[in-house]
């Protein structure tokens, strides 16, 4: 039959097993057939008679016992105030879930090409190429917006910073409307920067190269997520939309 070790005393070499039917059996160290000493919580297979367990073999041994302890620990964690607070942040409003989406979007591709893709944070790696392209464009009287975009790229950091501020405000129990609206605007601005950068770069090259660049350089999923999350944050800030998981 199957059961679980309730406890084992190394001092006197005896222990107790609770069987699947709820009955209890005593056992001695000599009846144990495992390679390691009996451990509390270990699932075992044994022969029982007259309240005594014989021929006791561990089923999964210490691994199952450890999993049992983990289940207890996870149960404690899931019922903790911190876990309840996290759950309420994710289901009470759209602010925190959308802020998390913004943070994720910052690491996803913003500009793609056959040779490479750049995330929102990685756009800084393009500044060297932008500078050379801007100088060449200035000499030919094209693409004057590239120089300004080099400066405006710093605004891309506003999206993750505003998202972190919103998450902090939600965790601290602060009023969320202002933080939600700021995070929404920051996400939209950050999403527009790669689009503006691509457009300015295409305008800066000669016409015979512009079509090829337009076909090969695209806007990544990170940009669309930023724009969608930004619009949703603004709508949530004005109370137009709400979390479908919210109670009441």
């Amino acid at each position: 039959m199957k059961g679980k070790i309730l406890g084992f005393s190394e001092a006197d070499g005896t222990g107790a097993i609770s069987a699947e039917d709820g009955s209890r059996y005593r056992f001695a160290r000599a009846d144990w057939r495992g390679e390691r000493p009996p451990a509390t919580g270990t699932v075992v297979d044994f022969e029982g008679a007259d309240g005594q367990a014989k021929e006791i073999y561990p089923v999964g041994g210490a691994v199952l016992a450890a999993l049992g302890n983990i289940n207890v620990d996870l149960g404690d964690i899931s019922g903790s105030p911190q876990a309840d607070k996290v759950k309420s942040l994710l289901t009470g409003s759209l602010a925190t879930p959308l802020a998390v989406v913004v943070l994720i979007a910052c690491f996803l591709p913003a500009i793609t090409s056959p040779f490479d893709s750049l995330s929102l944070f990685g756009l800084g790696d393009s500044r060297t190429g932008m500078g050379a392209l801007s100088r060449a464009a200035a000499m030919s009287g094209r693409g004057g917006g590239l120089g300004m975009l080099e400066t405006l790229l710093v605004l891309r950091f506003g999206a993750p910073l505003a998202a972190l501020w919103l998450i902090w405000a939600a965790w601290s129990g602060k009023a969320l409307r202002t933080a939600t609206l700021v995070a929404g605007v920051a996400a939209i601005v950050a999403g527009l920067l790669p689009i503006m950068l691509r457009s300015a770069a295409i305008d800066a090259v000669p016409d015979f190269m512009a079509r090829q660049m337009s076909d090969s350089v695209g806007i990544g999923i990170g940009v669309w997520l930023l724009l969608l999350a930004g619009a949703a944050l603004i709508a949530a800030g004005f109370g137009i939309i709400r979390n479908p998981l919210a109670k009441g």
Side-chain angles (χ1 to χ4, degrees):
M1 65 180 67
K2 295 289 192 303
K4 183 181 293 186
I5 294 179
L6 295 175
F8 179 77
S9 172
E10 287 285 357
D12 55 17
T14 61
I17 295 174
S18 175
E20 290 180 332
D21 60 6
S23 57
R24 294 190 179 186
Y25 294 83
R26 304 289 299 177
F27 72 94
R29 182 69 174 84
D31 297 308
W32 176 250
R33 299 295 181 261
E35 295 181 358
R36 297 183 178 181
T40 300
T42 301
V43 178
V44 295
D45 185 272
F46 66 99
E47 297 177 3
D50 299 326
Q52 193 70 24
K54 303 286 186 180
E55 298 297 319
I56 307 164
Y57 291 87
V59 179
V63 174
L64 287 178
L67 289 176
N69 292 333
I70 290 175
N71 289 334
V72 174
D73 293 341
L74 291 178
D76 293 340
I77 292 173
S78 63
S80 66
Q82 291 80 3
D84 291 339
K85 189 170 186 178
V86 170
K87 182 179 178 180
S88 67
L89 291 179
L90 295 175
T91 60
S93 73
L94 286 172
T96 301
L98 289 174
V100 172
V101 171
V102 170
L103 290 175
I104 294 173
C106 292
F107 293 94
L108 296 177
I111 292 182
T112 62
S113 74
F115 310 102
D116 197 8
S117 63
L118 298 173
S119 68
L120 189 70
F121 292 133
L123 289 180
D125 298 336
S126 66
R127 298 190 67 173
T128 302
M130 285 176 56
L133 189 59
S134 179
R135 289 189 294 272
M139 294 176 62
S140 62
R142 306 167 65 95
L146 275 174
M148 181 180 297
L149 276 175
E150 283 188 83
T151 303
L152 290 178
L153 276 181
V154 71
L155 295 178
R156 72 189 190 278
F157 295 112
L161 290 176
L164 289 173
W165 174 39
L166 178 54
I167 293 173
W168 171 83
W171 182 266
S172 303
K174 309 287 185 182
L176 296 182
R177 181 175 182 181
T178 299
T180 301
L181 292 174
V182 170
V185 172
I188 290 177
V189 170
L192 290 176
L193 284 174
I195 297 175
M196 295 168 60
L197 176 61
R198 175 181 178 274
S199 178
I202 292 174
D203 289 342
V205 300
D207 293 337
F208 71 91
M209 293 178 60
R211 183 177 182 84
Q212 182 179 359
M213 180 179 287
S214 178
D215 292 338
S216 60
V217 179
I219 300 299
I221 188 174
V223 169
W224 306 121
L225 277 180
L226 282 170
L227 295 176
L228 288 173
L233 281 167
I234 292 175
F238 284 115
I240 300 174
I241 60 175
R242 62 192 298 269
N243 195 324
L245 299 177
K247 296 180 180 180

